[in-house]
């Protein structure tokens, strides 16, 4: 009887190694996988785990995911509200046709019982502020990555007393880093700014070297719009409170600047004593834009001219302006005009990457509920999204591995 002899051990090892893929090819395969799959492969070996958690791998994975447009969708934040608090409870992801494809619960134990709301989102990360608007100014700021269910509380920031504050969250492309900007308005119209950098996990003060500038901070302007490598807030000159401007912050050189708005009054042909309401800034197809919605009428307005004007404009007329070439004032242009009829209130809370607006409409003053619609600006077609609860904020979302280490994993 013949026997098959086992090859020597050295030959078996050589054959095994020859059949294995080179490690750089393995990493390339991993970098093209969805986040959930990558997380599972961390358990294969210590070598795989250490490679997956490196900044270079995380950056490569995000860039590849970002190039696959199918991974982008909107997050809808809902909140559980009590008598004196609003605590984020979950977010839901939707595909481009607004079918719900995911849900991410947020355990309330990670947030104190006072006021909390989602602030900004960038590259799939969410920046929460947790703040009670009192003289004590006790609060905290968190970074949350819903893809990997990790939450990071940022170190304490300057607790100097302030009247109100706003935040901004952005990606610094030239260093592959993330920054949180916090601007506080002090008593006497003075403003202070602090910048947090994720790589150093620390805050530092930054000078706002602009004269006579104070932020206008209605509830929908407390967060920033990130476009062309800079954060933007709608503000106004403290010397003339009706003179609006845009405060910018370049995340690559940490410099504040000022961008002038177009001459809205003249270009909208408003009568004397009537002013367009600047509703909010937005990123419109990768460009800086803003919305005016409705009109302010002053005492010195000519009543006959005002009445003639309003016969052809509803109280909820909306103008959308876009800066064609960033930083060039002459490139501002009025792209769209929309009139919302048979409504008592309109609120914008987002813009899709295709340029559709997410709008909250209330049609009857006696109704306690509103509808959320997706508005196509080209056709003016509205799609009722059927949300049972009006969302707080919406943003474009992409899978990301940032915060894989050094953050708390959420459970439940």
């Amino acid at each position: 009887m013949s026997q098959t002899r086992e090859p020597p051990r050295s030959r078996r090892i050589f054959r095994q190694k020859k059949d294995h893929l080179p490690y750089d090819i393995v990493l390339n395969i991993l970098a093209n996988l969805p986040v959930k799959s990558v997380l599972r492969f961390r358990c294969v070996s210590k070598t795989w785990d250490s490679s997956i958690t490196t900044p270079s791998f995380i950056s490569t994975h995000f860039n590849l995911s970002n190039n696959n447009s199918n991974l982008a969708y909107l997050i809808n934040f809902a909140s559980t509200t009590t008598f004196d608090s609003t605590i984020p409870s979950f977010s839901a992801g939707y595909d481009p046709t607004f079918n719900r494809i995911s849900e991410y619960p947020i355990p309330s134990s990670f947030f104190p019982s006072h006021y909390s709301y989602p602030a900004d989102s960038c590259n799939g990360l969410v920046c929460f502020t947790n703040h009670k608007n009192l003289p004590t100014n006790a609060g905290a700021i968190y970074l949350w990555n819903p893809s990997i269910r990790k939450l990071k509380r940022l170190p304490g920031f300057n607790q100097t007393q302030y009247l109100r504050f706003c935040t901004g969250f952005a990606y610094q492309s030239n260093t592959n880093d993330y920054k949180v900007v916090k601007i506080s308005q002090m008593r006497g119209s003075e403003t202070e700014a602090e910048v947090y950098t994720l790589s150093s996990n620390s805050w530092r003060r930054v000078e706002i070297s602009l004269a006579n500038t104070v932020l206008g901070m209605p509830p929908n302007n407390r967060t920033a719009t990130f476009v062309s490598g800079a954060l933007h807030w709608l503000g106004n000159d403290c010397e003339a409170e009706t003179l609006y401007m845009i405060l910018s912050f370049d995340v690559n050189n940490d410099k504040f600047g000022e961008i002038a708005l177009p001459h809205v009054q003249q270009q909208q042909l408003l009568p004397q004593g009537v002013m367009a309401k600047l509703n909010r800034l937005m990123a419109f197809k990768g460009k800086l834009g803003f919305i005016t919605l409705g009109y302010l009428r002053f005492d010195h307005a000519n009543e006959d001219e005002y009445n003639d004007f309003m016969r052809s404009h509803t109280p909820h007329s909306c103008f959308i302006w876009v800066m064609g070439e960033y930083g060039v004032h002459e490139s501002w242009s009025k792209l769209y005009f929309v009139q919302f009829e048979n409504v008592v209130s309109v609120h914008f809370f987002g813009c899709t990457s295709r340029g559709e607006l997410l709008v909250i409409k209330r049609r009857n003053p006696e109704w306690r509920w509103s509808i959320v619609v997706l508005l196509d600006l080209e056709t003016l077609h509205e799609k009722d999204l059927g949300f049972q609860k009006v969302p707080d904020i919406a943003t474009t979302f992409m899978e990301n591995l940032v915060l894989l280490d050094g953050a708390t994993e959420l459970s439940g």
Side-chain angles (χ1 to χ4, degrees):
M1 176 183 258
S2 61
Q3 281 186 330
T4 302
R5 297 186 61 184
E6 185 76 14
R9 182 172 180 274
S10 59
R11 190 180 302 170
R12 293 200 311 269
I13 293 175
F14 176 78
R15 186 178 298 165
Q16 272 187 328
K17 289 186 176 181
K18 190 172 72 171
D19 292 340
H20 284 184
L21 290 173
Y23 194 57
D24 58 341
I25 295 180
V26 171
L27 287 181
N28 186 56
I29 294 173
L30 292 175
N32 281 276
L33 296 178
V35 161
K36 287 185 178 180
S37 300
V38 174
L39 296 180
R40 294 193 193 102
F41 284 117
R42 290 184 67 187
C43 302
V44 171
S45 68
K46 290 183 178 180
T47 301
W48 282 34
D49 179 65
S50 61
S51 297
I52 289 171
T53 56
T54 60
S56 60
F57 179 87
I58 291 173
S59 176
T60 300
H61 181 272
F62 172 74
N63 290 331
L64 291 171
S65 299
N66 193 22
N67 289 334
N68 297 326
S69 58
N70 292 334
L71 295 178
Y73 57 99
L74 293 170
I75 296 179
N76 167 36
F77 294 96
S79 300
T80 301
T81 304
T82 62
F83 178 74
D84 64 347
S85 65
T86 305
I87 303 174
S89 57
F90 74 92
S91 70
Y94 296 83
D95 65 16
T97 60
F98 278 86
N99 296 310
R100 182 177 290 195
I101 57 177
S102 59
E103 184 171 310
Y104 302 97
I106 309 172
S108 59
S109 59
F110 281 88
F111 294 93
S113 60
H114 55 259
Y115 187 79
S116 179
Y117 62 93
D120 298 276
S121 179
C122 180
N123 293 353
L125 301 181
V126 182
C127 178
F128 282 103
T129 61
N130 188 290
H131 173 78
K132 196 167 186 178
N133 217 8
L134 293 175
T136 55
N137 300 134
I141 298 180
Y142 299 84
L143 293 182
W144 176 49
N145 187 337
S147 295
I148 60 175
R149 297 183 53 76
K150 289 290 188 79
L151 182 78
K152 178 181 179 64
R153 176 168 177 162
L154 306 191
F157 46 81
N158 184 16
Q159 294 292 329
T160 303
Q161 290 189 7
Y162 47 84
L163 297 176
R164 46 190 177 171
F165 80 102
C166 63
T167 58
F169 180 45
Y171 174 67
Q172 185 178 1
S173 58
N174 60 1
T175 60
N176 188 31
D177 209 349
Y178 290 84
K179 289 183 176 180
V180 177
V181 181
K182 176 178 172 288
I183 304 177
S184 306
Q185 182 183 342
M186 322 302 290
R187 298 186 185 277
S189 299
E190 183 184 354
T191 54
E192 291 184 355
E194 296 172 87
V195 178
Y196 167 85
T197 304
L198 181 60
S199 60
S200 65
N201 193 35
S202 63
W203 293 89
R204 61 187 180 84
R205 294 282 294 272
V206 175
E207 181 182 2
I208 304 179
S209 56
L210 301 176
N212 301 321
T213 298
V214 59
L215 291 179
M217 284 186 268
N220 60 352
N221 273 317
R222 298 183 79 167
T223 60
T225 299
F226 183 51
V227 178
S228 299
L231 292 164
H232 304 84
W233 298 264
L234 188 63
N236 64 294
D237 192 322
C238 67
E239 296 292 326
E241 293 188 2
T242 59
L243 182 59
Y244 285 94
M245 43 73 73
I246 298 174
L247 179 68
S248 65
F249 178 80
D250 189 319
V251 298
N252 289 314
N253 60 22
D254 287 357
K255 298 292 184 182
F256 282 94
E258 183 176 340
I259 297 176
L261 290 165
H263 302 298
V264 176
Q265 296 296 109
Q266 293 88 338
Q267 295 195 39
Q268 289 183 193
L269 301 177
L270 301 181
Q272 187 69 27
V274 178
M275 179 179 177
K277 295 179 183 177
L278 271 67
N279 187 268
R280 65 173 295 165
L281 298 173
M282 65 177 181
F284 185 81
K285 296 182 179 180
K287 298 181 182 295
L288 181 62
F290 75 96
I291 296 174
T292 65
L293 175 65
Y295 308 98
L296 293 172
R297 178 186 176 186
F298 300 98
D299 292 337
H300 63 278
N302 183 292
E303 188 169 350
D304 291 336
E305 290 184 5
Y306 176 77
N307 290 335
D308 288 342
F309 177 80
M310 292 308 297
R311 287 190 185 97
S312 59
H313 295 76
T314 69
H316 301 290
S317 296
C318 161
F319 291 88
I320 293 152
W321 301 74
V322 175
M323 179 175 267
E325 184 178 351
Y326 183 76
V328 178
H329 182 265
E330 293 74 19
S331 68
W332 279 116
S333 60
K334 183 178 61 179
L335 293 189
Y336 300 99
F337 171 61
V338 182
Q339 295 196 88
F340 294 95
E341 299 179 346
N342 302 318
V343 295
V344 296
S345 68
V346 176
H347 174 64
F348 300 101
F349 70 98
C351 181
T352 71
S353 58
R354 299 187 299 270
E356 302 150 318
L357 294 185
L358 291 150
V359 184
I360 301 172
K361 298 170 60 176
R362 191 177 178 191
R363 290 178 173 167
N364 191 312
E366 298 181 1
W367 293 349
R368 296 179 61 110
W369 54 273
S370 304
I371 64 170
V372 180
V373 300
L374 184 70
L375 174 63
D376 186 323
L377 291 170
E378 298 291 343
T379 64
L380 297 184
H381 174 74
E382 293 183 358
K383 176 183 178 181
D384 187 345
L385 298 181
F387 290 161
Q388 298 300 311
K389 180 177 174 58
V390 173
D392 299 303
I393 191 173
T395 182
T396 302
F397 177 77
M398 292 164 281
E399 287 194 320
N400 203 329
L401 289 166
V402 172
L403 302 185
L404 198 53
D405 278 357
T408 303
E409 185 169 1
L410 301 181
S411 59

